Short mmCIF file of all heavy atoms in Angstrom, two decimals:
data_model
loop_
_atom_site.label_atom_id
_atom_site.label_comp_id
_atom_site.label_asym_id
_atom_site.label_seq_id
_atom_site.Cartn_x
_atom_site.Cartn_y
_atom_site.Cartn_z
N MET S 1 107.05 -113.82 80.71
CA MET S 1 105.68 -114.06 80.24
C MET S 1 105.14 -112.78 79.61
O MET S 1 105.87 -111.95 79.12
CB MET S 1 104.81 -114.49 81.42
CG MET S 1 105.28 -115.81 82.07
SD MET S 1 105.26 -117.22 80.98
CE MET S 1 103.88 -118.11 81.69
N ASP S 2 103.88 -112.62 79.68
CA ASP S 2 103.25 -111.47 79.05
C ASP S 2 102.96 -110.40 80.09
O ASP S 2 101.99 -110.47 80.81
CB ASP S 2 101.95 -111.93 78.38
CG ASP S 2 101.27 -110.77 77.68
OD1 ASP S 2 101.93 -109.73 77.51
OD2 ASP S 2 100.11 -110.91 77.31
N ASP S 3 103.85 -109.43 80.17
CA ASP S 3 103.67 -108.39 81.18
C ASP S 3 103.41 -107.03 80.55
O ASP S 3 103.71 -106.01 81.11
CB ASP S 3 104.89 -108.33 82.09
CG ASP S 3 106.13 -107.92 81.30
OD1 ASP S 3 106.05 -107.93 80.05
OD2 ASP S 3 107.14 -107.61 81.91
N VAL S 4 102.86 -107.04 79.36
CA VAL S 4 102.60 -105.78 78.68
C VAL S 4 101.13 -105.41 78.78
O VAL S 4 100.54 -104.84 77.89
CB VAL S 4 103.00 -105.85 77.19
CG1 VAL S 4 104.50 -105.93 77.06
CG2 VAL S 4 102.33 -107.03 76.53
N ARG S 5 100.54 -105.77 79.88
CA ARG S 5 99.12 -105.46 80.06
C ARG S 5 98.99 -104.03 80.59
O ARG S 5 98.76 -103.81 81.76
CB ARG S 5 98.48 -106.45 81.02
CG ARG S 5 96.99 -106.31 81.08
CD ARG S 5 96.41 -107.46 81.84
NE ARG S 5 96.76 -108.74 81.20
CZ ARG S 5 96.53 -109.92 81.75
NH1 ARG S 5 95.97 -110.00 82.92
NH2 ARG S 5 96.86 -111.02 81.12
N LEU S 6 99.17 -103.09 79.73
CA LEU S 6 99.11 -101.69 80.14
C LEU S 6 97.67 -101.25 80.34
O LEU S 6 96.77 -101.73 79.70
CB LEU S 6 99.76 -100.81 79.07
CG LEU S 6 101.21 -101.18 78.77
CD1 LEU S 6 101.74 -100.31 77.66
CD2 LEU S 6 102.05 -101.03 80.01
N ARG S 7 97.52 -100.33 81.23
CA ARG S 7 96.18 -99.82 81.51
C ARG S 7 95.98 -98.41 80.97
O ARG S 7 95.05 -97.73 81.30
CB ARG S 7 95.91 -99.84 83.00
CG ARG S 7 95.85 -101.27 83.53
CD ARG S 7 95.53 -101.32 84.99
NE ARG S 7 95.62 -102.69 85.49
CZ ARG S 7 95.52 -103.01 86.76
NH1 ARG S 7 95.34 -102.06 87.65
NH2 ARG S 7 95.61 -104.25 87.14
N LYS S 8 96.93 -97.99 80.19
CA LYS S 8 96.79 -96.69 79.55
C LYS S 8 97.07 -96.85 78.07
O LYS S 8 97.75 -97.79 77.66
CB LYS S 8 97.77 -95.69 80.15
CG LYS S 8 99.22 -96.11 79.97
CD LYS S 8 100.14 -95.18 80.71
CE LYS S 8 101.58 -95.64 80.56
NZ LYS S 8 102.49 -94.79 81.32
N PRO S 9 96.53 -95.97 77.28
CA PRO S 9 96.75 -96.09 75.84
C PRO S 9 98.21 -95.87 75.49
O PRO S 9 98.87 -95.03 76.08
CB PRO S 9 95.87 -95.00 75.25
CG PRO S 9 95.70 -93.99 76.35
CD PRO S 9 95.71 -94.80 77.62
N THR S 10 98.70 -96.63 74.55
CA THR S 10 100.09 -96.48 74.14
C THR S 10 100.19 -95.93 72.74
O THR S 10 101.26 -95.62 72.27
CB THR S 10 100.82 -97.82 74.20
OG1 THR S 10 100.11 -98.76 73.40
CG2 THR S 10 100.89 -98.33 75.62
N GLU S 11 99.06 -95.81 72.08
CA GLU S 11 99.05 -95.24 70.74
C GLU S 11 97.82 -94.37 70.59
O GLU S 11 96.79 -94.62 71.20
CB GLU S 11 99.01 -96.33 69.68
CG GLU S 11 100.30 -97.11 69.59
CD GLU S 11 100.25 -98.10 68.42
OE1 GLU S 11 99.20 -98.18 67.78
OE2 GLU S 11 101.25 -98.75 68.18
N ARG S 12 97.97 -93.34 69.80
CA ARG S 12 96.82 -92.50 69.54
C ARG S 12 96.92 -91.94 68.13
O ARG S 12 98.01 -91.66 67.64
CB ARG S 12 96.72 -91.38 70.56
CG ARG S 12 97.88 -90.39 70.53
CD ARG S 12 97.70 -89.35 71.59
NE ARG S 12 98.76 -88.33 71.53
CZ ARG S 12 98.84 -87.29 72.36
NH1 ARG S 12 97.93 -87.15 73.31
NH2 ARG S 12 99.80 -86.40 72.25
N ASN S 13 95.77 -91.79 67.51
CA ASN S 13 95.72 -91.26 66.16
C ASN S 13 94.82 -90.04 66.12
O ASN S 13 93.77 -90.02 66.76
CB ASN S 13 95.16 -92.32 65.20
CG ASN S 13 95.97 -93.61 65.25
OD1 ASN S 13 97.18 -93.59 65.30
ND2 ASN S 13 95.28 -94.73 65.26
N CYS S 14 95.24 -89.03 65.38
CA CYS S 14 94.39 -87.86 65.23
C CYS S 14 93.36 -88.13 64.15
O CYS S 14 93.68 -88.56 63.05
CB CYS S 14 95.24 -86.65 64.84
SG CYS S 14 94.21 -85.20 64.53
N GLU S 15 92.11 -87.88 64.49
CA GLU S 15 91.05 -88.16 63.54
C GLU S 15 90.92 -87.05 62.51
O GLU S 15 90.17 -87.14 61.56
CB GLU S 15 89.72 -88.32 64.29
CG GLU S 15 89.75 -89.54 65.20
CD GLU S 15 88.44 -89.71 65.93
OE1 GLU S 15 87.70 -88.72 66.01
OE2 GLU S 15 88.17 -90.81 66.40
N ARG S 16 91.65 -85.98 62.71
CA ARG S 16 91.54 -84.84 61.79
C ARG S 16 92.63 -84.87 60.72
O ARG S 16 92.35 -84.73 59.54
CB ARG S 16 91.62 -83.53 62.57
CG ARG S 16 90.41 -83.30 63.47
CD ARG S 16 90.65 -82.09 64.36
NE ARG S 16 89.51 -81.83 65.23
CZ ARG S 16 88.58 -80.92 64.97
NH1 ARG S 16 88.67 -80.16 63.91
NH2 ARG S 16 87.57 -80.75 65.79
N CYS S 17 93.88 -85.00 61.16
CA CYS S 17 94.98 -84.88 60.20
C CYS S 17 95.73 -86.19 60.00
O CYS S 17 96.59 -86.28 59.14
CB CYS S 17 95.95 -83.80 60.65
SG CYS S 17 96.89 -84.23 62.12
N GLY S 18 95.45 -87.17 60.81
CA GLY S 18 96.10 -88.46 60.61
C GLY S 18 97.40 -88.62 61.36
O GLY S 18 98.10 -89.61 61.17
N ARG S 19 97.72 -87.65 62.21
CA ARG S 19 98.93 -87.78 63.01
C ARG S 19 98.86 -89.02 63.88
O ARG S 19 97.81 -89.32 64.44
CB ARG S 19 99.11 -86.53 63.87
CG ARG S 19 100.38 -86.54 64.70
CD ARG S 19 100.39 -85.33 65.61
NE ARG S 19 101.56 -85.26 66.44
CZ ARG S 19 102.63 -84.52 66.18
NH1 ARG S 19 102.68 -83.80 65.09
NH2 ARG S 19 103.65 -84.50 67.00
N GLN S 20 99.97 -89.72 63.99
CA GLN S 20 100.02 -90.91 64.82
C GLN S 20 101.15 -90.78 65.82
O GLN S 20 102.27 -90.42 65.44
CB GLN S 20 100.21 -92.16 63.97
CG GLN S 20 99.06 -92.41 63.01
CD GLN S 20 99.24 -93.69 62.23
OE1 GLN S 20 99.67 -94.70 62.78
NE2 GLN S 20 98.91 -93.67 60.95
N GLU S 21 100.85 -91.08 67.05
CA GLU S 21 101.87 -90.99 68.08
C GLU S 21 101.87 -92.26 68.92
O GLU S 21 100.88 -92.96 69.04
CB GLU S 21 101.62 -89.78 68.98
CG GLU S 21 101.71 -88.47 68.24
CD GLU S 21 101.55 -87.28 69.16
OE1 GLU S 21 101.18 -87.47 70.33
OE2 GLU S 21 101.80 -86.16 68.71
N ARG S 22 103.02 -92.50 69.50
CA ARG S 22 103.18 -93.67 70.36
C ARG S 22 103.79 -93.20 71.67
O ARG S 22 104.67 -92.36 71.70
CB ARG S 22 104.09 -94.69 69.69
CG ARG S 22 104.27 -95.96 70.48
CD ARG S 22 105.30 -96.84 69.80
NE ARG S 22 104.89 -97.15 68.42
CZ ARG S 22 104.31 -98.28 68.08
NH1 ARG S 22 104.12 -99.21 68.97
NH2 ARG S 22 103.95 -98.50 66.84
N TRP S 23 103.33 -93.76 72.74
CA TRP S 23 103.84 -93.40 74.06
C TRP S 23 105.15 -94.11 74.32
O TRP S 23 105.23 -95.33 74.22
CB TRP S 23 102.81 -93.77 75.12
CG TRP S 23 103.25 -93.40 76.50
CD1 TRP S 23 103.80 -94.22 77.44
CD2 TRP S 23 103.17 -92.10 77.10
NE1 TRP S 23 104.06 -93.51 78.58
CE2 TRP S 23 103.69 -92.20 78.41
CE3 TRP S 23 102.70 -90.86 76.65
CZ2 TRP S 23 103.76 -91.12 79.27
CZ3 TRP S 23 102.77 -89.78 77.52
CH2 TRP S 23 103.29 -89.92 78.81
N THR S 24 106.18 -93.33 74.63
CA THR S 24 107.46 -93.93 74.94
C THR S 24 107.98 -93.34 76.24
O THR S 24 108.23 -92.15 76.34
CB THR S 24 108.49 -93.64 73.83
OG1 THR S 24 108.65 -92.23 73.70
CG2 THR S 24 108.04 -94.20 72.51
N ASP S 25 108.10 -94.19 77.22
CA ASP S 25 108.62 -93.79 78.52
C ASP S 25 107.75 -92.73 79.17
O ASP S 25 106.94 -93.03 80.02
CB ASP S 25 110.06 -93.29 78.41
CG ASP S 25 111.00 -94.40 77.99
OD1 ASP S 25 110.68 -95.56 78.24
OD2 ASP S 25 112.04 -94.09 77.40
N ASP S 26 107.92 -91.48 78.78
CA ASP S 26 107.15 -90.44 79.45
C ASP S 26 106.69 -89.35 78.50
O ASP S 26 106.41 -88.24 78.93
CB ASP S 26 107.96 -89.83 80.60
CG ASP S 26 109.25 -89.20 80.09
OD1 ASP S 26 109.53 -89.35 78.90
OD2 ASP S 26 109.94 -88.57 80.88
N SER S 27 106.65 -89.65 77.23
CA SER S 27 106.20 -88.63 76.30
C SER S 27 105.69 -89.28 75.02
O SER S 27 105.99 -90.44 74.73
CB SER S 27 107.35 -87.67 75.97
OG SER S 27 108.36 -88.36 75.28
N TRP S 28 104.89 -88.50 74.29
CA TRP S 28 104.38 -88.99 73.02
C TRP S 28 105.40 -88.71 71.92
O TRP S 28 105.94 -87.62 71.82
CB TRP S 28 103.06 -88.30 72.68
CG TRP S 28 101.94 -88.72 73.56
CD1 TRP S 28 101.43 -88.02 74.62
CD2 TRP S 28 101.18 -89.93 73.48
NE1 TRP S 28 100.41 -88.73 75.18
CE2 TRP S 28 100.22 -89.88 74.51
CE3 TRP S 28 101.22 -91.03 72.62
CZ2 TRP S 28 99.31 -90.93 74.70
CZ3 TRP S 28 100.30 -92.06 72.83
CH2 TRP S 28 99.38 -91.99 73.86
N ARG S 29 105.63 -89.72 71.09
CA ARG S 29 106.54 -89.57 69.96
C ARG S 29 105.77 -89.86 68.68
O ARG S 29 104.95 -90.77 68.63
CB ARG S 29 107.70 -90.56 70.07
CG ARG S 29 108.55 -90.37 71.33
CD ARG S 29 109.48 -89.17 71.19
NE ARG S 29 110.30 -89.01 72.38
CZ ARG S 29 111.46 -89.63 72.56
NH1 ARG S 29 111.89 -90.49 71.67
NH2 ARG S 29 112.16 -89.43 73.66
N VAL S 30 106.08 -89.09 67.67
CA VAL S 30 105.43 -89.30 66.39
C VAL S 30 105.88 -90.63 65.81
O VAL S 30 107.06 -90.97 65.85
CB VAL S 30 105.77 -88.17 65.40
CG1 VAL S 30 105.18 -88.45 64.03
CG2 VAL S 30 105.27 -86.83 65.95
N VAL S 31 104.93 -91.36 65.29
CA VAL S 31 105.23 -92.67 64.72
C VAL S 31 105.84 -92.49 63.34
O VAL S 31 105.43 -91.62 62.58
CB VAL S 31 103.94 -93.51 64.61
CG1 VAL S 31 104.21 -94.81 63.87
CG2 VAL S 31 103.40 -93.81 66.00
N THR S 32 106.82 -93.30 63.04
CA THR S 32 107.43 -93.28 61.71
C THR S 32 106.97 -94.50 60.92
O THR S 32 107.07 -95.62 61.40
CB THR S 32 108.97 -93.30 61.81
OG1 THR S 32 109.39 -92.15 62.54
CG2 THR S 32 109.60 -93.28 60.44
N ILE S 33 106.41 -94.24 59.77
CA ILE S 33 105.90 -95.32 58.93
C ILE S 33 106.62 -95.29 57.60
O ILE S 33 106.55 -94.31 56.87
CB ILE S 33 104.38 -95.17 58.72
CG1 ILE S 33 103.67 -95.15 60.06
CG2 ILE S 33 103.87 -96.29 57.83
CD1 ILE S 33 102.18 -94.86 59.93
N ASP S 34 107.33 -96.39 57.30
CA ASP S 34 108.07 -96.46 56.05
C ASP S 34 108.99 -95.26 55.86
O ASP S 34 109.09 -94.69 54.79
CB ASP S 34 107.09 -96.56 54.86
CG ASP S 34 106.35 -97.88 54.85
OD1 ASP S 34 106.86 -98.83 55.47
OD2 ASP S 34 105.28 -97.95 54.25
N GLY S 35 109.64 -94.87 56.94
CA GLY S 35 110.61 -93.79 56.84
C GLY S 35 110.02 -92.40 56.90
O GLY S 35 110.73 -91.42 56.91
N GLU S 36 108.68 -92.33 56.93
CA GLU S 36 108.06 -91.01 57.00
C GLU S 36 107.35 -90.84 58.32
O GLU S 36 106.60 -91.71 58.76
CB GLU S 36 107.06 -90.83 55.84
CG GLU S 36 107.75 -90.73 54.51
CD GLU S 36 106.82 -90.10 53.47
OE1 GLU S 36 106.01 -89.25 53.86
OE2 GLU S 36 106.88 -90.50 52.31
N ARG S 37 107.56 -89.69 58.92
CA ARG S 37 106.93 -89.43 60.19
C ARG S 37 105.48 -89.00 59.98
O ARG S 37 105.20 -88.11 59.20
CB ARG S 37 107.68 -88.31 60.93
CG ARG S 37 109.01 -88.76 61.50
CD ARG S 37 109.98 -87.61 61.64
NE ARG S 37 109.42 -86.55 62.46
CZ ARG S 37 109.48 -86.51 63.80
NH1 ARG S 37 110.09 -87.48 64.44
NH2 ARG S 37 108.95 -85.53 64.48
N ALA S 38 104.61 -89.68 60.70
CA ALA S 38 103.18 -89.38 60.55
C ALA S 38 102.83 -88.18 61.42
O ALA S 38 102.12 -88.29 62.41
CB ALA S 38 102.35 -90.60 60.93
N THR S 39 103.38 -87.03 61.03
CA THR S 39 103.21 -85.85 61.87
C THR S 39 101.86 -85.18 61.67
O THR S 39 101.43 -84.40 62.50
CB THR S 39 104.30 -84.81 61.56
OG1 THR S 39 104.33 -84.59 60.15
CG2 THR S 39 105.65 -85.33 62.00
N GLY S 40 101.23 -85.45 60.54
CA GLY S 40 99.95 -84.79 60.29
C GLY S 40 100.17 -83.31 60.05
O GLY S 40 101.21 -82.89 59.55
N SER S 41 99.18 -82.51 60.42
CA SER S 41 99.27 -81.08 60.21
C SER S 41 99.70 -80.37 61.48
O SER S 41 99.14 -80.61 62.54
CB SER S 41 97.92 -80.52 59.77
OG SER S 41 97.94 -79.11 59.81
N PRO S 42 100.70 -79.49 61.38
CA PRO S 42 101.15 -78.76 62.57
C PRO S 42 100.12 -77.75 63.04
O PRO S 42 100.23 -77.24 64.16
CB PRO S 42 102.43 -78.06 62.08
CG PRO S 42 102.29 -77.95 60.61
CD PRO S 42 101.49 -79.15 60.17
N TYR S 43 99.16 -77.46 62.20
CA TYR S 43 98.15 -76.47 62.58
C TYR S 43 96.87 -77.13 63.06
O TYR S 43 95.89 -76.46 63.35
CB TYR S 43 97.84 -75.57 61.39
CG TYR S 43 99.08 -74.92 60.83
CD1 TYR S 43 99.61 -75.32 59.62
CD2 TYR S 43 99.72 -73.91 61.55
CE1 TYR S 43 100.76 -74.73 59.11
CE2 TYR S 43 100.86 -73.31 61.05
CZ TYR S 43 101.38 -73.73 59.83
OH TYR S 43 102.52 -73.15 59.34
N CYS S 44 96.91 -78.43 63.12
CA CYS S 44 95.71 -79.17 63.50
C CYS S 44 95.49 -79.11 65.01
O CYS S 44 96.44 -79.15 65.79
CB CYS S 44 95.85 -80.62 63.06
SG CYS S 44 94.48 -81.64 63.57
N ILE S 45 94.23 -78.96 65.37
CA ILE S 45 93.89 -79.13 66.78
C ILE S 45 93.57 -80.61 66.94
O ILE S 45 92.45 -81.05 66.73
CB ILE S 45 92.66 -78.28 67.16
CG1 ILE S 45 92.91 -76.82 66.82
CG2 ILE S 45 92.37 -78.45 68.65
CD1 ILE S 45 91.67 -75.97 66.98
N HIS S 46 94.60 -81.34 67.27
CA HIS S 46 94.48 -82.79 67.20
C HIS S 46 93.31 -83.31 68.02
O HIS S 46 93.09 -82.92 69.16
CB HIS S 46 95.77 -83.44 67.66
CG HIS S 46 96.96 -83.00 66.85
ND1 HIS S 46 97.02 -83.13 65.48
CD2 HIS S 46 98.12 -82.40 67.22
CE1 HIS S 46 98.18 -82.64 65.05
NE2 HIS S 46 98.86 -82.18 66.08
N GLU S 47 92.61 -84.19 67.37
CA GLU S 47 91.50 -84.85 68.06
C GLU S 47 91.82 -86.33 68.11
O GLU S 47 91.65 -87.06 67.15
CB GLU S 47 90.19 -84.62 67.30
CG GLU S 47 89.00 -85.16 68.05
CD GLU S 47 87.70 -84.56 67.54
OE1 GLU S 47 87.66 -83.38 67.25
OE2 GLU S 47 86.72 -85.32 67.44
N TRP S 48 92.33 -86.74 69.25
CA TRP S 48 92.82 -88.11 69.38
C TRP S 48 91.66 -89.09 69.51
O TRP S 48 90.70 -88.83 70.21
CB TRP S 48 93.74 -88.22 70.58
CG TRP S 48 94.84 -87.22 70.52
CD1 TRP S 48 95.02 -86.15 71.35
CD2 TRP S 48 95.91 -87.15 69.57
NE1 TRP S 48 96.13 -85.45 70.97
CE2 TRP S 48 96.70 -86.04 69.88
CE3 TRP S 48 96.26 -87.95 68.48
CZ2 TRP S 48 97.83 -85.70 69.15
CZ3 TRP S 48 97.40 -87.61 67.75
CH2 TRP S 48 98.17 -86.50 68.09
N ASP S 49 91.84 -90.20 68.84
CA ASP S 49 90.76 -91.19 68.81
C ASP S 49 90.62 -91.94 70.13
O ASP S 49 89.74 -92.77 70.27
CB ASP S 49 90.96 -92.16 67.66
CG ASP S 49 92.25 -92.95 67.78
OD1 ASP S 49 93.03 -92.67 68.73
OD2 ASP S 49 92.48 -93.82 66.95
N ILE S 50 91.52 -91.66 71.07
CA ILE S 50 91.39 -92.36 72.35
C ILE S 50 90.56 -91.55 73.34
O ILE S 50 90.20 -92.02 74.38
CB ILE S 50 92.77 -92.62 72.99
CG1 ILE S 50 93.52 -91.31 73.18
CG2 ILE S 50 93.56 -93.59 72.14
CD1 ILE S 50 94.84 -91.48 73.93
N ASP S 51 90.28 -90.31 72.98
CA ASP S 51 89.53 -89.45 73.89
C ASP S 51 88.15 -90.01 74.15
O ASP S 51 87.36 -90.21 73.25
CB ASP S 51 89.39 -88.05 73.30
CG ASP S 51 90.71 -87.28 73.40
OD1 ASP S 51 91.62 -87.78 74.08
OD2 ASP S 51 90.80 -86.22 72.80
N GLY S 52 87.88 -90.25 75.39
CA GLY S 52 86.54 -90.66 75.77
C GLY S 52 86.19 -92.07 75.40
O GLY S 52 85.17 -92.59 75.82
N THR S 53 87.02 -92.70 74.60
CA THR S 53 86.65 -94.04 74.17
C THR S 53 87.50 -95.10 74.87
O THR S 53 87.17 -96.26 74.84
CB THR S 53 86.83 -94.20 72.66
OG1 THR S 53 88.18 -93.94 72.33
CG2 THR S 53 85.93 -93.24 71.92
N PHE S 54 88.58 -94.64 75.48
CA PHE S 54 89.45 -95.61 76.11
C PHE S 54 88.87 -96.07 77.43
O PHE S 54 88.55 -95.26 78.29
CB PHE S 54 90.83 -95.01 76.34
CG PHE S 54 91.73 -95.96 77.07
CD1 PHE S 54 92.29 -97.04 76.42
CD2 PHE S 54 92.00 -95.79 78.41
CE1 PHE S 54 93.11 -97.92 77.09
CE2 PHE S 54 92.82 -96.67 79.10
CZ PHE S 54 93.37 -97.73 78.43
N LEU S 55 88.73 -97.34 77.57
CA LEU S 55 88.22 -97.89 78.82
C LEU S 55 89.33 -98.72 79.46
O LEU S 55 89.75 -99.72 78.90
CB LEU S 55 87.01 -98.78 78.56
CG LEU S 55 85.80 -98.06 77.99
CD1 LEU S 55 84.70 -99.07 77.69
CD2 LEU S 55 85.29 -97.01 78.96
N PRO S 56 89.79 -98.27 80.59
CA PRO S 56 90.83 -99.04 81.27
C PRO S 56 90.33 -100.40 81.68
O PRO S 56 89.14 -100.60 81.93
CB PRO S 56 91.18 -98.18 82.49
CG PRO S 56 89.97 -97.34 82.72
CD PRO S 56 89.35 -97.11 81.37
N PHE S 57 91.24 -101.32 81.70
CA PHE S 57 90.87 -102.65 82.14
C PHE S 57 90.37 -102.59 83.58
O PHE S 57 90.87 -101.82 84.38
CB PHE S 57 92.08 -103.59 82.08
CG PHE S 57 92.49 -103.92 80.69
CD1 PHE S 57 93.51 -103.23 80.08
CD2 PHE S 57 91.83 -104.92 80.00
CE1 PHE S 57 93.88 -103.53 78.78
CE2 PHE S 57 92.21 -105.23 78.71
CZ PHE S 57 93.24 -104.53 78.09
N GLU S 58 89.42 -103.41 83.85
CA GLU S 58 89.00 -103.49 85.24
C GLU S 58 90.10 -104.17 86.04
O GLU S 58 90.90 -104.92 85.52
CB GLU S 58 87.71 -104.30 85.35
CG GLU S 58 86.54 -103.57 84.71
CD GLU S 58 85.24 -104.34 84.94
OE1 GLU S 58 85.26 -105.22 85.81
OE2 GLU S 58 84.27 -104.05 84.26
N ALA S 59 90.11 -103.84 87.30
CA ALA S 59 91.14 -104.42 88.14
C ALA S 59 91.09 -105.93 88.04
O ALA S 59 90.04 -106.56 88.16
CB ALA S 59 90.92 -103.99 89.58
N ILE S 60 92.24 -106.47 87.75
CA ILE S 60 92.30 -107.93 87.63
C ILE S 60 92.71 -108.49 88.97
O ILE S 60 93.85 -108.37 89.40
CB ILE S 60 93.31 -108.33 86.55
CG1 ILE S 60 92.87 -107.73 85.21
CG2 ILE S 60 93.42 -109.83 86.46
CD1 ILE S 60 93.89 -107.93 84.13
N ASP S 61 91.75 -109.06 89.62
CA ASP S 61 92.00 -109.56 90.97
C ASP S 61 91.53 -111.00 91.08
O ASP S 61 90.89 -111.55 90.19
CB ASP S 61 91.24 -108.72 91.99
CG ASP S 61 92.24 -107.98 92.88
OD1 ASP S 61 92.96 -108.67 93.63
OD2 ASP S 61 92.31 -106.74 92.82
N GLY S 62 91.85 -111.58 92.18
CA GLY S 62 91.38 -112.94 92.39
C GLY S 62 92.05 -113.93 91.48
O GLY S 62 91.48 -114.95 91.11
N GLY S 63 93.27 -113.62 91.08
CA GLY S 63 93.95 -114.52 90.17
C GLY S 63 94.74 -115.59 90.89
O GLY S 63 95.52 -116.29 90.27
N GLU S 64 94.55 -115.67 92.16
CA GLU S 64 95.34 -116.64 92.92
C GLU S 64 94.49 -117.77 93.48
O GLU S 64 94.78 -118.32 94.52
CB GLU S 64 96.07 -115.93 94.05
CG GLU S 64 97.09 -114.92 93.50
CD GLU S 64 98.03 -114.45 94.59
OE1 GLU S 64 97.92 -114.99 95.71
OE2 GLU S 64 98.84 -113.57 94.31
N GLN S 65 93.41 -118.02 92.79
CA GLN S 65 92.57 -119.10 93.28
C GLN S 65 93.30 -120.43 93.13
O GLN S 65 93.86 -120.74 92.08
CB GLN S 65 91.27 -119.17 92.48
CG GLN S 65 90.32 -118.04 92.84
CD GLN S 65 89.01 -118.15 92.10
OE1 GLN S 65 88.98 -118.60 90.97
NE2 GLN S 65 87.93 -117.75 92.72
N ALA S 66 93.28 -121.16 94.19
CA ALA S 66 93.91 -122.47 94.13
C ALA S 66 93.03 -123.42 93.34
O ALA S 66 91.83 -123.23 93.24
CB ALA S 66 94.12 -123.02 95.54
N ASP S 67 93.63 -124.38 92.78
CA ASP S 67 92.86 -125.37 92.04
C ASP S 67 91.89 -126.08 92.97
O ASP S 67 92.28 -126.52 94.04
CB ASP S 67 93.78 -126.41 91.41
CG ASP S 67 94.58 -125.77 90.27
OD1 ASP S 67 94.13 -124.73 89.78
OD2 ASP S 67 95.64 -126.32 89.92
N ALA S 68 90.67 -126.18 92.53
CA ALA S 68 89.66 -126.79 93.38
C ALA S 68 89.84 -128.31 93.39
O ALA S 68 90.20 -128.87 92.37
CB ALA S 68 88.26 -126.46 92.89
ZN1 ZN V 1 95.60 -83.57 64.03
#
């Protein structure tokens, strides 16, 4: 079924240089788009668009209610 309900961001984009990264296993990897890595600027102080804006899902509970 659908078990990809992650509670952490899996992608992030730098609002300054356009760098894009994706979370893989345990580290961020630069995203490759059309054969080019979206590395952005190596001198950029990356400002990720997920900072402060990411809201984790609320705990999903009570999903075992029996049919009334
Ligand atoms: Zn950047």
Side-chain angles (χ1 to χ4, degrees):
M1 298 299 251
D2 181 13
D3 63 348
V4 291
R5 189 170 301 171
L6 302 177
R7 293 182 186 173
K8 61 186 178 183
T10 56
E11 290 186 356
R12 63 181 184 180
N13 303 318
C14 176
E15 295 181 340
R16 292 172 179 261
C17 69
R19 182 185 180 98
Q20 297 183 41
E21 296 184 350
R22 182 186 302 261
W23 181 261
T24 60
D25 295 335
D26 60 354
S27 65
W28 290 102
R29 299 284 181 86
V30 176
V31 173
T32 300
I33 302 174
D34 292 339
E36 291 199 33
R37 286 154 57 85
T39 52
S41 169
Y43 305 107
C44 176
I45 304 171
H46 302 304
E47 186 162 321
W48 306 112
D49 61 356
I50 58 174
D51 285 350
T53 59
F54 176 76
L55 296 176
F57 289 97
E58 293 185 15
I60 300 173
D61 246 294
E64 296 193 5
Q65 286 183 326
D67 291 339

